[in-house]
Amino acid sequence: LKKTAALLQGMVRGEEEPKGLELIGAHAFEGCVSLENIVIPEGIKRIEAGTFSGCASLKSVYLPTSLEYIAEDAFFNCPQLSNITCKSEKFDFTNGILFNKDHTVIYKYLSTNTATRYTVPNTVTEIKAYAFHGAENLKEVYIGESVEKIGTEIFSNCNNIEIIDVPFLGATASKEDAGTLGYLFGKVPTKLSEVIVSGGEIIANQAFFFTTV
């Protein structure tokens, strides 16, 4: 426990660079509600699932040049996170959104973004699970046909979304991966009034079941 606390304090201050440490394990700092700033030390290559999930006070994160992998829910439910300083060549943080370097993958759309409308760039081919979680300001989201893969519950806790335009319902456009609105939202928001589905092989059974659309 003392070593964990010392490492955590060093990461917060940006002073600790533990030799040989390459990975921060799954859920390592989940629920640390007092954390406000994290500096991931050089040498870390992987941030695993849920590492900083539920860090309710987290405002800024520094990602080192050594970082190669971030789990899709590593920063799940961090409602105050507003800045990511990214030195890694594998990722890019632009306009409140964490992409991979080539902007073909969206990892995280920060919930502190103030935009009410967002159009996914046509470079993007994949949106990771929970990518837009908690983006309460969003009212309209447009996802173009360049997107080939969508993770589960990308719009969870996006309670003010009124319009979505998606290329398919489900994980991919294939009929084997067809899903429902619940796949995108978890709990479908009551304000959702318009859903545009521009493609996909099928609309799944009960795709709009028990929704207000």
Side-chain angles (χ1 to χ4, degrees):
L1 181 59
K2 289 183 179 179
K3 287 184 178 180
T4 301
L7 173 60
L8 176 57
Q9 290 171 3
M11 289 170 65
V12 171
R13 296 192 301 266
E15 298 172 356
E16 189 79 18
E17 293 192 13
K19 294 181 179 179
L21 187 63
E22 296 185 350
L23 176 150
I24 302 177
H27 310 285
F29 299 109
E30 181 175 358
C32 292
V33 296
S34 296
L35 282 181
E36 294 186 1
N37 305 290
I38 287 291
V39 177
I40 307 297
E42 284 294 341
I44 297 293
K45 295 181 179 181
R46 296 176 63 91
I47 300 175
E48 299 293 344
T51 298
F52 298 105
S53 176
C55 291
S57 301
L58 186 62
K59 295 179 175 65
S60 69
V61 174
Y62 175 93
L63 304 179
T65 58
S66 57
L67 191 66
E68 299 176 355
Y69 170 83
I70 301 174
E72 56 193 3
D73 60 347
F75 298 101
F76 176 77
N77 196 24
C78 295
Q80 295 193 52
L81 183 58
S82 58
N83 184 60
I84 299 175
T85 301
C86 185
K87 298 299 183 180
S88 171
E89 293 183 354
K90 300 290 185 180
F91 305 97
D92 183 55
F93 181 69
T94 302
N95 297 326
I97 304 164
L98 183 63
F99 296 90
N100 68 337
K101 194 65 175 181
D102 297 328
H103 285 215
T104 57
V105 179
I106 293 178
Y107 282 86
K108 182 65 179 173
Y109 178 101
L110 299 190
S111 55
T112 49
N113 282 338
T114 58
T116 59
R117 173 185 174 125
Y118 181 66
T119 299
V120 172
N122 59 16
T123 57
V124 173
T125 60
E126 180 180 358
I127 302 173
K128 293 291 189 179
Y130 313 109
F132 294 88
H133 173 83
E136 294 278 8
N137 291 315
L138 278 177
K139 294 183 178 181
E140 302 177 21
V141 180
Y142 299 89
I143 302 175
E145 294 181 0
S146 67
V147 173
E148 301 171 353
K149 186 176 181 181
I150 297 176
T152 186
E153 296 188 29
I154 61 169
F155 297 126
S156 61
N157 280 32
C158 293
N159 296 317
N160 292 309
I161 286 186
E162 300 171 1
I163 300 172
I164 60 168
D165 187 337
V166 294
F168 47 82
L169 276 181
T172 72
S174 72
K175 61 184 178 182
E176 291 80 11
D177 291 328
T180 68
L181 276 183
Y183 176 84
L184 297 179
F185 285 95
K187 182 179 180 181
V188 180
T190 58
K191 292 183 179 181
L192 186 67
S193 60
E194 183 175 347
V195 177
I196 302 166
V197 182
S198 58
E201 293 183 0
I202 66 170
I203 298 294
N205 293 340
Q206 299 182 331
F208 296 91
F209 190 61
F210 274 118
T211 68
T212 58
V213 176

